[in-house]
Amino acid sequence: MLETALTTFTTFFAVIGPVEAAVLLSSLTPNMTRAERRAITIKAVFIATLIVLAFALFGGPILRQLGVSLAALQTAGGIILLIIALDMTLSKRPATPALSAKESEEAEDKAERHAEIAVFPLATPLLAGPGAMTSAIVLAAGAEGDPALLAAVIGAMLAVMFLTLMLLLAAHEVHQLLGVTARKVIVRVSGVLLAALAVQSIFDGLGDAKIFG
């Protein structure tokens, strides 16, 4: 149970990237007051948490109705996570679902109301992006219906989202505290950890499928 919780926490921390999310929030809301940023942050994390929980609780059953096996899900999810991990590790800039300068300007122009910024790009795709959704399904499916293991998975997910909330609330402070080098190191290390977890998921999926005998 502890191992499951630690694996889930590590995976989600790497996929969501709370530090990178805090940096992006700071760049999207430079002229807003602390109260305004707080309202946006709480709404964004709440929406992202609901999305992740929905995929964790209902993503697996829906896929089973479609005839997708756990082995196939683990393998496919591992491949997707590996691609994300390689992008995080090898890219020249932090690999978050960040917007370009032009896209950021368009987003801010379009999102004059705080609710719009909270939903896009913060809640999705930054926090609850494809990687987080895939991770939720794969990790929840790995519990194999065990209530204790599923509770550990969900608890670890909520822990990461809570940590994300705390970092986003302190976005400007985090941005000032971390230099460019420190942010790059965090992204690279997270990418390596995520790659290892992704490869293990692929191995587990192929092993359960018994493709190689």
Side-chain angles (χ1 to χ4, degrees), residues 33-52:
T33 65
R34 180 179 293 272
E36 290 172 332
R37 288 196 301 271
R38 179 183 178 86
I40 290 173
T41 295
I42 292 174
K43 184 169 185 177
V45 173
F46 177 74
I47 293 173
T49 301
L50 289 181
I51 293 173
V52 169

Side-chain angles (χ1 to χ4, degrees), residues 19-180:
V19 176
E20 296 87 348
V23 173
L24 180 59
L25 175 62
S26 178
S27 67
L28 286 175
T29 59
N31 300 318
M32 293 186 181
T33 65
R34 180 179 293 272
E36 290 172 332
R37 288 196 301 271
R38 179 183 178 86
I40 290 173
T41 295
I42 292 174
K43 184 169 185 177
V45 173
F46 177 74
I47 293 173
T49 301
L50 289 181
I51 293 173
V52 169
L53 286 178
F55 272 84
L57 295 175
F58 307 114
I62 290 175
L63 289 178
R64 283 195 294 273
Q65 288 296 320
L66 297 175
V68 178
S69 67
L70 176 58
L73 180 61
Q74 286 180 313
T75 305
I79 292 173
I80 292 173
L81 292 180
L82 181 59
I83 293 173
I84 295 172
L86 291 175
D87 187 46
M88 292 173 66
T89 306
L90 303 177
S91 65
K92 295 182 179 180
R93 59 182 180 178
T96 62
L99 304 176
S100 65
K102 181 180 179 181
E103 289 173 328
S104 296
E105 278 186 82
E106 292 175 352
E108 286 190 323
D109 292 338
K110 186 178 180 180
E112 294 178 353
R113 293 180 299 174
H114 299 164
E116 294 180 0
I117 297 178
V119 174
F120 177 85
L122 292 180
T124 182
L126 183 60
L127 299 180
M133 296 174 188
T134 303
S135 298
I137 295 175
V138 171
L139 292 167
E144 298 181 346
D146 187 327
L149 292 181
L150 182 60
V153 169
I154 293 177
M157 290 179 186
L158 293 178
V160 173
M161 298 308 294
F162 178 76
L163 177 59
T164 301
L165 175 62
M166 295 297 101
L167 288 175
L168 289 180
L169 289 175
H172 279 267
E173 289 77 3
V174 171
H175 184 75
Q176 294 172 357
L177 179 64
L178 294 176
V180 175

